[in-house]
Amino acid sequence: MSIKVSLVSKNYKDQKALNEVSFSADKGQIIGFLGPNGAGKSTMMKILTGFIKPNSGDVFVDEINVLLNPLKAQITIGYLPEHNPLYTDMYVKEYLQFRASIYKVDKQQIQTCIEKVGLTAEAHKKIHQLSKGYQQRVGLAAAILHNPSVLILDEPTTGLDPNQLVEIRELIKDLGKDKTVLFSTHIMQEVEAVCDRVIIIKKGELLVDKKLSELKENNQQTIIVTFDYKIEEQFINRLPNIVSYKNNYDNTWYITFESDKDMRPVIFDFAQENGLKILSLNTENKNLETLFREVTSA
Ligand code: ADP
Ligand code: MG
């Protein structure tokens, strides 16, 4: 097990930032860590990397107890903090040499990392001369200098333009080939493009921890139907396989079913049997974006 978090709770004074969060990750997984602002993502990452202590719970990285041996754990962890703190007056190479000296990494390794993150052409520049995307590459290069087996990346793609986004995602994917990667993001498509697994937290509570393939396989479908006049809730409830429903406006209903067959014909028959006319009928494409909104709103 590369990462093992059990029942981690963290309070900032009387504010609860994490409440008994548990998850674990096998080697070589890329995990998307999602949640709205203030959910507790950065707090969890600072605890995982040994920079702050939880109030209770246990954290292991590569079988090392992070709370007891933070320095030892940091040897196996590469960490890109939120807002990527860099010394922007330094040259790229100079900065990486400085970071490498902390870990006693040899010069060849610096060059290898520069190449790995695609910085070769920019390595002679000062960091502040680089675009945000290239600055993120510097942060990533610094995080992998000591060849850690676990990478913790706190919103590595925030603030990037669409091209940079794609490039950094590709890079994360590439790094994930031989490392366990936990990265936080707000973008569900990003998770779809890069991750094997998704963890969603909200207000310090873990809400979802699933493989991407499991999320995609769910048998739920949401149908949006508008009838010609107002009907009562109990009426809708007579439909089979209903998971939930809501009536947003007018006579339009959002009905979620758990079924492996298309429920549209069932609704059609239901309307006909009950003397209703259907004015419109659509299936909502239940992508991960919708799931994320469902889980984290309310
Ligand atoms: P996220 O990274 O998901 O946006 P954070 O872990 O930064 O969430 O924050 C979780 C909660 O803890 C938020 O409500 C935030 O305001 C609070 N918080 C974070 N850091 C501190 C701190 N140093 N002192 C007090 N409250 C904090
Ligand atoms: Mg954060």
Side-chain angles (χ1 to χ4, degrees):
M1 210 62 89
S2 288
I3 297 177
K4 189 163 172 39
V5 172
S6 358
L7 297 171
V8 164
S9 294
K10 172 74 186 173
N11 301 328
Y12 293 110
K13 298 216 172 88
D14 52 0
Q15 189 189 1
K16 221 175 187 81
L18 292 172
N19 188 19
E20 301 196 337
V21 172
S22 301
F23 64 91
S24 55
D26 291 330
K27 274 201 169 53
Q29 268 189 341
I30 304 185
I31 304 171
F33 195 37
L34 282 116
N37 280 329
K41 302 179 299 294
S42 296
T43 300
M44 187 72 245
M45 290 179 149
K46 287 178 203 160
I47 292 171
L48 263 168
T49 49
F51 287 98
I52 62 172
K53 297 248 185 259
N55 293 84
S56 57
D58 276 316
V59 182
F60 292 85
V61 171
D62 258 0
E63 319 292 335
I64 303 164
N65 186 324
V66 179
L67 307 182
L68 297 180
N69 302 299
L71 295 178
K72 191 172 170 210
Q74 282 163 11
I75 295 171
T76 70
I77 302 172
Y79 177 37
L80 179 61
E82 203 172 11
H83 311 308
N84 187 10
L86 295 168
Y87 295 107
T88 52
D89 267 345
M90 281 183 154
Y91 292 96
V92 171
K93 245 189 183 147
E94 184 190 11
Y95 175 69
L96 293 176
Q97 277 158 1
F98 158 69
R99 289 287 301 257
S101 65
I102 302 170
Y103 295 106
K104 302 183 179 66
V105 167
D106 64 46
K107 280 216 165 68
Q108 184 48 45
Q109 174 67 2
I110 299 174
Q111 197 50 41
T112 307
C113 292
I114 286 175
E115 282 163 26
K116 190 153 200 171
V117 303
L119 266 175
T120 312
E122 313 284 319
H124 63 285
K125 291 189 183 167
K126 280 199 170 182
I127 294 173
H128 71 76
Q129 295 173 321
L130 304 181
S131 67
K132 178 100 205 296
Y134 275 89
Q135 292 191 356
Q136 287 304 81
R137 290 174 195 248
V138 178
L140 283 169
I144 61 171
L145 274 174
H146 57 302
N147 199 18
S149 58
V150 175
L151 268 184
I152 309 281
L153 312 175
D154 198 351
E155 296 195 27
T157 59
T158 296
L160 301 184
D161 73 32
N163 292 328
Q164 295 169 339
L165 264 177
V166 172
E167 289 165 12
I168 297 296
R169 281 179 198 164
E170 283 308 310
L171 191 52
I172 293 172
K173 219 169 167 172
D174 191 45
L175 294 173
K177 283 183 189 149
D178 59 355
K179 298 182 194 305
T180 307
V181 182
L182 180 74
F183 82 100
S184 61
T185 173
H186 293 284
I187 311 169
M188 203 69 190
Q189 294 103 302
E190 188 151 298
V191 172
E192 250 178 308
V194 180
C195 298
D196 311 298
R197 193 149 137 230
V198 187
I199 292 176
I200 304 180
I201 62 169
K202 185 190 170 189
K203 292 187 182 153
E205 308 266 351
L206 191 143
L207 299 180
V208 173
D209 177 359
K210 284 208 164 114
K211 283 190 182 151
L212 204 65
S213 51
E214 286 170 358
L215 280 178
K216 286 183 169 168
E217 270 167 16
N218 91 36
N219 282 332
Q220 290 197 357
Q221 54 185 297
T222 296
I223 293 175
I224 306 154
V225 56
T226 308
F227 297 110
D228 61 340
Y229 64 89
K230 193 172 166 61
I231 51 172
E232 297 300 321
E233 239 178 80
Q234 303 93 293
F235 211 65
I236 290 290
N237 227 346
R238 288 191 211 152
L239 282 160
N241 309 330
I242 284 195
V243 179
S244 65
Y245 52 82
K246 63 180 183 226
N247 179 212
N248 271 16
Y249 53 87
D250 301 341
N251 305 321
T252 299
W253 292 81
Y254 287 71
I255 313 171
T256 302
F257 299 94
E258 174 91 47
S259 170
D260 49 12
K261 69 173 185 189
D262 187 351
M263 292 301 288
R264 284 175 301 181
V266 178
I267 294 185
F268 194 83
D269 291 344
F270 167 85
Q272 205 175 26
E273 282 159 21
N274 292 288
L276 291 162
K277 289 198 174 64
I278 291 177
L279 302 182
S280 77
L281 182 67
N282 291 299
T283 353
E284 186 175 64
N285 191 2
K286 193 162 174 116
N287 56 17
L288 295 179
E289 197 76 46
T290 327
L291 177 97
F292 178 66
R293 259 186 287 126
E294 272 177 17
V295 175
T296 57
S297 66

